[in-house]
Amino acid sequence: MPQILTSSIVAFPRGDLQGTGVVLRADPLDGGSTVVVDATPFHPVDHTWPDQPGDSGTISIDGASASVSEAVMAAVSDEGVFAVGADIPVKRGAEGWTWLVAHRLTGEIPEWLVPGASVALSVDEESRSGLSRGHTACHLASLALDIAVADLWRKDPGADALGNPDFEGRANQTSRIHEDGAIDEYRLGKSLRRAGFDTETFAATLTEREASINAQLATWVASGAASRIVTEGPTIVDRRTWVCELPEGTAEILCGGTHVESLAEFASISVALDLSDPQLLVMTTTAVPA
């Protein structure tokens, strides 16, 4: 297929669930297929930091419809090599590649889904809303965690988006977002202790730290603070930032995912801390929609 010279235009940062686009390529892949269009409302899972799953939904033309199981990142090299998801050999935005959103189909490519065809794209609204709540709740929980453990640092680890000691940035090793929640894992090993974090006192006061996080989250939810995504451009590789106007100040975190428009969309957000492995903190975040 011909080389694609421009990166995908994306509308998910402003919350779009519907859109139209022109098919650029359609390829068989792993027992299914992928379709790339020039513009899409679908949010793709990132191949280097796959915290938020990609959107699901449909692609259709004149009543004919194909199911999209998940949107994923794809890329075409200057030499014409097409790679999808984990097979992309470079980080997003690397030079020499054009960056795309690929829509995974659950079956073979329909005969009507050909390059040049104009299609309608529709994102599953319920799933998107749940993932957006999960992602916003995940960021808020990490900021509240930073506040709850701020007194345990003997050295300066750097500051988070609210100016507090950045435990999240220092210790987080995985983050997995799901509808209305998230699971984050933090490594509490030798490197964190050398960085000045008091892991022993943290373990001894785990219950109190969890209560502190939940109290902070309740205050933020009650504030109904505005939340939005600020973009530097319309394509999938343009930098995007989550911005939330919390009572303590405006938090800004680089983020490629989707988010709620207001904390009034939550009835509650809470976390549970698990330190069954003394060197691995697991924080489970649960959001309840309003």
Side-chain angles (χ1 to χ4, degrees):
M1 291 191 180
Q3 183 175 346
I4 298 170
L5 299 178
T6 59
S7 294
S8 296
I9 302 297
V10 292
F12 66 81
R14 61 174 183 254
D16 287 17
L17 296 168
Q18 311 289 332
T20 59
V22 175
V23 176
L24 300 179
R25 61 182 299 150
D27 299 84
L29 182 73
D30 299 335
S33 53
T34 64
V35 175
V36 174
V37 297
D38 62 342
T40 180
F42 280 72
H43 167 262
V45 60
D46 192 290
H47 68 293
T48 54
W49 185 254
D51 55 348
Q52 179 175 336
D55 285 331
S56 58
T58 60
I59 298 177
S60 58
I61 301 177
D62 297 330
S65 181
S67 295
V68 177
S69 59
E70 186 176 34
V72 298
M73 286 297 302
V76 177
S77 73
D78 288 350
E79 291 75 33
V81 175
F82 179 62
V84 177
D87 292 334
I88 301 173
V90 293
K91 291 184 178 181
R92 184 168 68 179
E95 293 185 6
W97 293 79
T98 299
W99 295 88
L100 311 166
V101 176
H103 306 77
R104 286 186 181 271
L105 305 187
T106 53
E108 296 181 354
I109 303 167
E111 60 182 13
W112 48 267
L113 207 50
V114 295
S118 295
V119 297
L121 302 107
S122 179
V123 174
D124 184 304
E125 181 175 6
E126 183 176 356
S127 176
R128 163 72 73 77
S129 295
L131 291 171
S132 294
R133 288 190 297 268
H135 208 146
T136 301
C138 180
H139 282 337
L140 292 171
S142 71
L143 291 171
L145 172 61
D146 286 349
I147 293 172
V149 301
D151 63 305
L152 297 177
W153 290 97
R154 292 187 295 268
K155 301 177 183 178
D156 181 6
D160 70 6
L162 289 177
N164 298 301
D166 193 7
F167 177 84
E168 168 76 18
R170 281 281 186 167
N172 187 289
Q173 64 175 18
T174 64
S175 182
R176 292 293 183 268
I177 293 157
H178 53 81
E179 293 182 25
D180 291 316
I183 299 175
D184 288 87
E185 294 184 342
Y186 301 87
R187 178 59 60 184
L188 306 182
K190 292 181 180 178
S191 61
L192 193 67
R193 291 193 291 273
R194 284 196 297 268
F197 188 76
D198 185 352
T199 56
E200 292 184 0
T201 299
F202 176 66
T205 58
L206 190 68
T207 300
E208 292 87 342
R209 308 287 169 175
E210 180 182 294
S212 175
I213 295 168
N214 287 329
Q216 181 65 75
L217 290 170
T219 297
W220 286 342
V221 167
S223 76
S227 166
R228 65 185 185 277
I229 299 171
V230 175
T231 66
E232 294 186 355
T235 77
I236 188 60
V237 288
D238 287 309
R239 191 158 73 165
R240 298 182 292 279
T241 303
W242 172 71
V243 179
C244 191
E245 299 169 5
L246 296 170
E248 291 82 356
T250 299
E252 299 184 6
I253 296 176
L254 289 176
C255 180
T258 64
H259 289 277
V260 302
E261 295 182 353
S262 167
L263 303 195
E265 295 181 35
F266 297 102
S268 66
I269 303 172
S270 61
V271 304
L273 303 182
D274 182 356
L275 202 54
S276 300
D277 179 346
Q279 296 197 55
L280 184 68
L281 171 67
V282 179
M283 182 170 72
T284 300
T285 302
T286 302
V288 177

